[in-house]
Amino acid sequence: MQLRVFTEPQQGATYDQLLRVVRAAEDLGYDAFFRSDHLQRIGSGEPGPGPSESWLTLGALARETTHIRLGTMLTSATFRLPSVLAVAVAQVDAMSGGRVELGLGAGWYEREHAAYGIAFPPVAERFERLEEQFEILTGLWGTPVGSTYSFNGRHYTLADCPALPKPAQLPHPPLIVGGKGPRRTPALAARFADEFNMPFSDVDTVREQFDRVRTACREHGRDDIVLSVAQTVAVGRTDAEVKRRLAASDLAPDELAAGQGVFGVPEEVVEQLSRFGGVGADRVYCQILDLADLDHLELIANEVAPHL
């Protein structure tokens, strides 16, 4: 299994902190660096230093790195027009030399939408918009140079869009669909995604959702989707170090019991992560919340990753 670093900058991180993390992750051999797409801290705690715009950040990091892949888990479809998002992602893909991946979701955190004056439609409409966004993104990127693209949907209309620029990766950067929904989410993954991600769930729940995605893919005549999980990770050389990193992860005991995180000394974490591999996971997004703890990244890279 590949290990990827997954950060949550809205919980408190400057650009300089993210730059240190992505450089460390690249030096340590992680496959990718991903960040969330939120504009407000989730839960309690100090709000500083404030949010950072995900694609602006990734564009800057693209010029400061050489080979680590970069992406979002997940960009919120409510935050941007799909046509403008297509331009931003294509540009960052070119800036990175073809290392970008786009995770796109319907959006869920109502509080940040209210705070920033962003419309937050009912869930059914958000999924309708998400589906149209995928159609527009793939349509724009797939339009031959010199031709234009038009789209007339329920929520978005494009008329003779020049469909430029094109991303460096062809036909487009890998697209990621993620979530726990039993019906709409697997169907969207089967239609549009190169990868499906199951966030913060126990192994049995992951197995059930992976099976739904595989079934949806077969119904669409495909069997080539990458499967992945996201887990909060707390690894330590000693029990005391594990407890310190668990405290930094801010997971409550009931969340740990629900399978939202893996924790322990390296051998224990290898065993826990291997269970996800056993149900088909190709990748693990290791959610790291203490971005000042670069030793944590090094420990996972040296003592966990080689055994997966």
Side-chain angles (χ1 to χ4, degrees):
M1 287 192 297
Q2 292 176 329
L3 294 188
R4 295 182 158 189
V5 175
F6 173 30
T7 64
E8 301 274 2
Q10 78 280 350
Q11 301 302 98
T14 64
Y15 171 75
D16 287 339
Q17 286 176 308
L18 292 174
L19 179 58
R20 285 193 291 272
V21 172
V22 73
R23 282 176 167 167
E26 185 170 65
D27 290 343
L28 290 166
Y30 285 94
D31 176 65
F33 170 92
F34 270 61
R35 59 155 294 159
S36 59
D37 188 16
H38 284 294
L39 296 172
Q40 190 162 330
R41 185 183 182 95
I42 299 169
S44 60
E46 293 295 325
S52 54
E53 210 288 325
S54 62
W55 285 100
L56 177 62
T57 301
L58 292 176
L61 295 177
R63 306 302 292 176
E64 299 282 358
T65 54
T66 60
H67 58 270
I68 194 168
R69 298 190 66 80
L70 304 166
T72 52
M73 187 69 75
L74 298 164
T75 285
S76 177
T78 56
F79 287 178
R80 300 167 187 84
L81 295 171
S83 51
V84 178
L85 179 62
V87 171
V89 175
Q91 184 174 1
V92 178
D93 197 41
M95 293 166 69
S96 70
R99 292 184 283 124
V100 157
E101 304 187 12
L102 170 61
L104 184 63
W108 64 272
Y109 192 32
E110 185 173 7
R111 180 178 174 185
E112 69 185 339
H113 290 74
Y116 285 86
I118 301 170
F120 188 72
V123 64
E125 181 179 333
R126 297 203 307 277
F127 268 91
E128 289 174 359
R129 289 179 176 272
L130 177 62
E131 182 176 0
E132 288 190 16
Q133 289 217 3
F134 276 117
E135 292 179 359
I136 291 168
L137 287 165
T138 54
L140 287 169
W141 290 332
T143 297
V145 175
S147 299
T148 61
Y149 174 79
S150 297
F151 180 85
N152 186 16
R154 182 173 181 179
H155 302 287
Y156 302 102
T157 301
L158 282 70
D160 298 324
C161 180
L164 295 170
K166 300 301 184 191
Q169 298 175 88
L170 298 176
H172 53 70
L175 298 174
I176 304 169
V177 168
K180 302 178 181 180
R183 183 173 57 85
R184 292 191 186 101
T185 300
L188 277 175
R191 285 186 60 193
F192 298 107
D194 300 282
E195 176 179 341
F196 172 78
N197 178 265
M198 184 61 170
F200 310 113
S201 302
D202 62 61
V203 174
D204 289 337
T205 304
V206 169
R207 179 191 294 107
E208 292 170 0
Q209 187 70 329
F210 280 1
D211 285 344
R212 295 187 189 104
V213 171
R214 292 187 187 102
T215 297
C217 285
R218 285 194 295 270
E219 291 172 354
H220 280 80
R222 55 174 299 200
D223 59 2
D224 58 346
I225 196 166
V226 173
L227 299 172
S228 63
V229 298
Q231 286 280 304
T232 306
V233 177
V235 188
R237 299 173 184 85
T238 65
D239 289 342
E241 197 169 66
V242 173
K243 289 179 181 178
R244 173 172 64 80
R245 287 179 171 142
L246 271 176
S249 75
D250 205 28
L251 278 180
D254 61 332
E255 292 173 317
L256 287 172
Q260 294 189 30
V262 297
F263 61 96
V265 297
E267 294 82 2
E268 293 172 321
V269 171
V270 167
E271 193 275 332
Q272 293 169 53
L273 291 179
S274 295
R275 295 176 192 168
F276 293 106
V279 298
D282 304 295
R283 293 173 180 155
V284 177
Y285 290 79
C286 300
Q287 187 194 53
I288 306 294
L289 296 178
D290 184 357
L291 299 184
D293 188 1
L294 299 184
D295 178 65
H296 195 192
L297 289 179
E298 184 174 358
L299 179 62
I300 296 169
N302 292 338
E303 302 296 334
V304 175
H307 303 288
L308 292 172

